[in-house]
Amino acid sequence: MLRRGFTEIDTSSAIVDVSDVINTKYVNDPIHGYIKLNKHMLEFIDTPQFQRLRNLKQIGSGYHVFPGGSHNRFEHCIGTSFLANEVVQGLSLRQPELAIDERDIRCVTLAGLCHDLGHGPYSHMFDNEFIPRARPGIEWSHEMGSEMMLDYAIDENNIDIEDDDVKFIKRLIQGTNIPVCDEKMFLFDIVANKRNGVDVDKFDYIQRDCYNVGVKSSYDFSRLMLNSRIIDNEVCYDHKEAYNLTEMFHTRYSLHKRVYRHRAAKAIELMMVDAMLIADPVLQISQAVTDPSQYQHLTDDVVRDIERSKDPELEAARALIKRIHKRDIYKFVD
């Protein structure tokens, strides 16, 4: 008999996997409540590569405009993995004929957990604005960064996982609507849906961003999940959820107009990009995208690195950051 918290576990039963119980943790999330972290998830969470996400703001420069938007990629990835697990487990229960197995559940959950490992400083600012200007000849996205950091986390922490599972997880992170040999195509709709954009990544970040910045939304992702099923090898939703889906996309549009593309947030973002471009020849920021050992240490703190530097070549970059602090930001020209 084992005791974990206030729960007694009878280890004499062959059904109970004691190692699973001992290697399970729970975290209390403001969006989803208590989330169970199993041993497979913890193998990735308890690594420097995943803990790095604590230092990447979810809404980037938007935090300078919305004081509540201090949440990070860390909790978003945990929330996304929780929803991915809920979706695939629910489909398995409602449609046993799908033959969803333990590997499918594990890989989809880990894809949700690791899908944003590759984000750079201030999230989308890095891959959408900075990298195209710093290294115009390179093809790079945060999804590619996630694949790189996934491999690095596995190698550096000796995570025991099959090569085929790693390839499957990478494909789930990238998303595809092109048939993949020996895999169930509907599983690719869960984390990164390339068919229509309805996936658990959006379910989490829309709800999480609304909660933290104070934007009201009436859409209910839990109803969508409960009213989903697989038809013709893709995730489909009951017709009565049409308004709910419309509201989800309307909320996303509203967040883009009111938060992500806020004039002040965009001005600050462009100033940060200019500061990082000035600092790039000295700090070699853009070179980190091809070196996971460097990328592991590249977070929002790069702005602090520029501020702390005494290098005269970074004087103009430091001046731009000082202007941000003093709210002397670029002016929007209509």
Side-chain angles (χ1 to χ4, degrees):
M1 187 76 72
L2 295 178
R3 182 182 295 274
R4 182 178 180 86
F6 294 102
T7 305
E8 290 187 344
I9 304 155
D10 185 2
T11 59
S12 64
S13 172
I15 299 175
V16 176
D17 187 336
V18 178
S19 64
D20 283 347
V21 174
I22 294 174
N23 295 316
T24 296
K25 295 181 181 178
Y26 292 86
V27 293
N28 190 9
D29 180 72
I31 307 301
H32 308 301
Y34 281 98
I35 295 177
K36 176 183 176 181
L37 307 177
N38 62 39
K39 64 179 181 181
H40 301 295
M41 298 167 70
L42 290 171
E43 284 179 330
F44 285 92
I45 293 172
D46 295 336
T47 65
Q49 293 75 30
F50 193 89
Q51 294 294 319
R52 165 182 176 271
L53 300 179
R54 292 182 183 272
N55 298 309
L56 296 174
K57 289 287 179 288
Q58 176 76 16
I59 62 171
S61 61
Y63 177 46
H64 288 263
V65 180
F66 297 90
S70 59
H71 54 302
N72 303 306
R73 291 279 164 186
F74 180 85
E75 49 265 41
H76 164 60
C77 284
I78 289 177
T80 302
S81 69
F82 168 76
L83 294 181
N85 183 270
E86 289 284 294
V87 168
V88 73
Q89 293 265 28
L91 291 171
S92 179
L93 288 172
R94 291 191 297 274
Q95 295 180 265
E97 68 276 9
L98 296 174
I100 295 172
D101 57 28
E102 191 274 336
R103 173 182 178 265
D104 295 331
I105 295 170
R106 183 179 68 255
C107 289
V108 169
T109 302
L110 290 177
L113 186 71
C114 299
H115 80 285
D116 274 352
L117 280 179
H119 264 293
Y122 293 91
S123 294
H124 291 287
M125 179 198 85
F126 188 77
D127 49 340
N128 292 343
E129 301 289 347
F130 174 72
I131 289 297
R133 293 173 63 185
R135 299 186 66 177
I138 190 174
E139 181 183 350
W140 192 86
S141 66
H142 73 268
E143 288 89 357
M144 294 168 65
S146 294
E147 293 188 19
M148 176 182 74
M149 293 306 290
L150 177 66
D151 285 334
Y152 188 57
I154 292 169
D155 293 341
E156 285 293 297
N157 300 282
N158 299 313
I159 296 174
D160 185 15
I161 184 171
E162 297 290 334
D163 289 343
D164 286 345
D165 289 357
V166 176
K167 292 177 183 177
F168 185 28
I169 291 168
K170 288 179 179 179
R171 287 170 176 165
L172 290 167
I173 290 173
Q174 287 284 356
T176 181
N177 52 17
I178 300 172
V180 177
C181 182
D182 298 327
E183 303 294 357
K184 305 173 181 70
M185 282 308 299
F186 63 84
L187 294 175
F188 295 90
D189 294 347
I190 296 174
V191 175
N193 192 334
K194 298 301 183 184
R195 300 180 198 266
N196 51 44
V198 182
D199 52 46
V200 295
D201 180 23
K202 286 188 181 64
F203 291 172
D204 185 87
Y205 83 67
I206 291 175
Q207 198 76 8
R208 195 173 298 278
D209 291 354
C210 285
Y211 174 85
N212 283 282
V213 304
V215 171
K216 304 299 180 185
S217 173
S218 61
Y219 106 93
D220 184 357
F221 64 82
S222 61
R223 277 185 58 92
L224 287 175
M225 291 165 58
L226 288 171
N227 287 285
S228 63
R229 64 183 295 106
I230 305 305
I231 301 174
D232 294 334
N233 214 19
E234 64 180 285
V235 178
C236 298
Y237 299 93
D238 194 294
H239 67 90
K240 63 185 177 184
E241 295 304 313
Y243 177 78
N244 204 12
L245 281 167
T246 301
E247 186 62 22
M248 185 198 78
F249 283 108
H250 179 265
T251 302
R252 180 175 178 270
Y253 171 80
S254 180
L255 283 168
H256 272 273
K257 296 292 287 185
R258 299 164 63 183
V259 180
Y260 309 146
R261 300 182 184 276
H262 189 282
R263 289 188 180 190
K266 193 64 180 178
I268 292 169
E269 178 180 291
L270 292 173
M271 293 177 75
M272 287 180 174
V273 170
D274 287 345
M276 289 170 62
L277 287 169
I278 294 169
D280 192 38
V282 177
L283 300 182
Q284 299 290 297
I285 300 168
S286 64
Q287 299 305 309
V289 298
T290 54
D291 185 345
S293 64
Q294 291 185 40
Y295 200 72
Q296 177 183 318
H297 302 289
L298 187 60
T299 66
D300 293 353
D301 289 340
V302 68
V303 173
R304 302 289 172 262
D305 293 338
I306 295 171
E307 283 187 294
R308 286 190 291 263
S309 173
K310 302 298 183 182
D311 194 316
E313 293 185 47
L314 300 187
E315 181 58 38
R318 289 194 294 270
L320 278 171
I321 296 169
K322 187 175 182 179
R323 283 183 59 184
I324 293 172
H325 292 326
K326 299 181 72 173
R327 209 64 171 184
D328 178 18
I329 61 177
Y330 291 165
K331 301 301 179 184
F332 181 82
V333 179
D334 197 347

